[in-house]
Amino acid sequence: MIFDELSRHGVVPVIAIDDPGSALPLADALIAGGLPVAEITFRTAAARDTIIAMATHRPQMIVGSGTVLTEAQVDDSIAAGARFALSPGLDQAVLAHAKGRGLPFAPGIMTPSDLQAALRADCRMVKFFPAVAAGGTDMLKSIAAPYAHTGLGFNPTGGITLATLGDWLAIPQVRAVGGTWIATRADIAAGNWDRIVANARAAVAAVARIRGAG
């Protein structure tokens, strides 16, 4: 399952990109950093073309879509070659459409009620968002505990940094965190590929160290 592949990496770079011409240099930077994963968010008009470029020309990348809010964006994700999708919130109609199209989908949750709605929709992964603003690791531990027996995995995203990565990965139900710091919108626009390579390498090393210690 695709979410198992994301879990093996431990971090999913969350990308907002403005120019699809930067798609391949970005993919190459992530690959060079040992983190061939990207969640390309539909926050920009370049998302669809970026996913197409990465999926077509860098097949070793695990490319998904993020900020998927509508059924049309589910369709766009699939047409572009996305292998998974995530949303900041939970919309049953969008979930049902993604399920019907066979697209692995992780909705955003903040509360136990959200979790139960996700379970009812047969989700295997949910996005805890906005992770830090919603109460951080203490909040996630508290709401995840009653559902631990379900096997539901979490992808906390929002405000997490390299320095706090270990706190999140220490939670058993956390499969991978969303890493907005790895390839920022500003660094992509400026072509700071070396910085992105370094950020990816640091994240990979941190995950190995954290999991090795566990």
Side-chain angles (χ1 to χ4, degrees), residues 34-193:
L35 195 56
V37 184
E39 173 194 335
I40 308 299
T41 69
F42 273 93
R43 294 186 181 193
T44 71
R48 189 177 187 275
D49 288 341
T50 297
I51 295 169
I52 290 171
M54 288 185 175
T56 302
H57 300 290
R58 298 295 184 270
Q60 65 269 53
M61 285 285 294
I62 303 171
V63 185
S65 57
T67 320
V68 176
L69 309 180
T70 66
E71 292 95 323
Q73 288 177 334
V74 169
D75 293 335
D76 283 344
S77 298
I78 294 169
R83 297 176 61 190
F84 64 94
L86 303 98
S87 177
L90 191 154
D91 183 310
Q92 289 289 357
V94 175
L95 274 176
H97 188 68
K99 183 177 180 180
R101 294 292 317 270
L103 180 66
F105 195 98
I109 65 92
M110 278 184 61
T111 68
S113 295
D114 292 340
L115 279 174
Q116 291 186 201
L119 286 169
R120 182 178 291 275
D122 295 323
C123 294
R124 304 314 307 152
M125 178 85 84
V126 293
K127 179 174 188 170
F128 179 54
F129 178 84
V132 173
T137 54
D138 286 345
M139 179 64 170
L140 181 54
K141 289 175 188 175
S142 296
I143 65 171
Y147 303 93
H149 64 286
T150 68
L152 187 65
F154 290 81
N155 170 230
T157 302
I160 299 170
T161 67
L162 182 65
T164 61
L165 180 59
D167 297 334
W168 292 95
L169 290 179
I171 302 172
Q173 295 93 335
V174 169
R175 304 292 184 254
V177 307
T180 55
W181 78 90
I182 294 170
T184 67
R185 196 169 185 172
D187 278 341
I188 294 169
N192 291 330
W193 311 123

